[in-house]
Amino acid sequence: MNAEDANDATTAEPTVLAVNEARTKANRISSQILDLIGIKEGKVAGGGAGVSLCDEDPDHLYLMRHPWSIYEVKPDMLEAGFQRLRENLPKNGWKVVAYGRDTSANENLELTADSEKDPFAVNVSLHITGPSGTKEPMIQVNVVSGCFRAPEGTDLNKEF
């Protein structure tokens, strides 16, 4: 799924939203995903959500991306957390739209889900198996929004 698909298809015009509000939403969604994974051990890497410009109108439209990962956790705990997430997303306002092995040599398990409340999607992949091996077993998460319209007067070039 790409970020533009995260917008509701029936919405003709992107929602006007201040960048800080969109950043707060993306960070809140990432926290929700971490809670649903339910792993308390290990480390979480990745900063806060960042701004990317939307190709259709880079002067006025932007989206949020928040990539992060959980690592320094035993593979069986990562697997259990990934499955907890898969089971709990639909109970928490998410629709799982894709689930299965990716096309990498490792054939990592991954899922993609769309929020039923907000124009956000999440892609999560479990990195613990495969012929090429994994130096660091982890769960990688990428939260992405659909495009938002910046309020009048916002300079998106200063919002990264």
Side-chain angles (χ1 to χ4, degrees):
M1 167 172 194
N2 62 39
E4 290 76 22
D5 292 339
N7 270 329
D8 183 336
T10 62
T11 304
E13 186 67 26
T15 302
V16 175
L17 191 65
V19 172
N20 283 341
E21 290 178 53
R23 184 176 282 117
T24 297
K25 278 183 179 253
N27 288 332
R28 188 185 75 241
I29 287 169
S30 285
S31 292
Q32 177 193 30
I33 299 300
L34 181 59
D35 290 345
L36 292 176
I37 291 170
I39 294 176
K40 306 296 183 204
E41 300 80 11
K43 294 185 178 178
V44 176
V51 175
S52 294
L53 302 178
C54 295
D55 292 338
E56 310 88 89
D57 184 355
D59 292 330
H60 302 102
L61 300 180
Y62 70 94
L63 58 90
M64 301 305 301
R65 292 185 193 277
H66 190 198
W68 54 275
S69 60
I70 303 170
Y71 64 103
E72 289 190 9
V73 179
K74 293 179 183 175
D76 61 332
M77 293 179 73
L78 291 170
E79 284 182 286
F82 188 88
Q83 291 308 322
R84 249 190 318 276
L85 178 66
R86 180 182 178 212
E87 292 166 12
N88 287 316
L89 280 169
K91 299 173 191 172
N92 287 275
W94 292 85
K95 180 181 180 185
V96 176
V97 296
Y99 174 80
R101 299 280 174 190
D102 68 16
T103 58
S104 72
N106 286 336
E107 298 180 340
N108 299 308
L109 196 56
E110 72 176 350
L111 69 80
T112 301
D114 294 337
S115 172
E116 295 177 334
K117 302 172 201 166
D118 294 302
F120 280 87
V122 63
N123 178 267
V124 185
S125 56
L126 177 64
H127 296 260
I128 59 171
T129 61
S132 68
T134 301
K135 287 183 182 178
E136 183 86 55
M138 70 178 73
I139 292 176
Q140 289 184 322
V141 178
N142 190 23
V143 173
V144 64
S145 75
C147 292
F148 293 108
R149 179 169 294 284
E152 185 104 14
T154 302
D155 183 354
L156 289 174
N157 293 315
K158 295 181 180 178
E159 293 291 344
F160 295 91

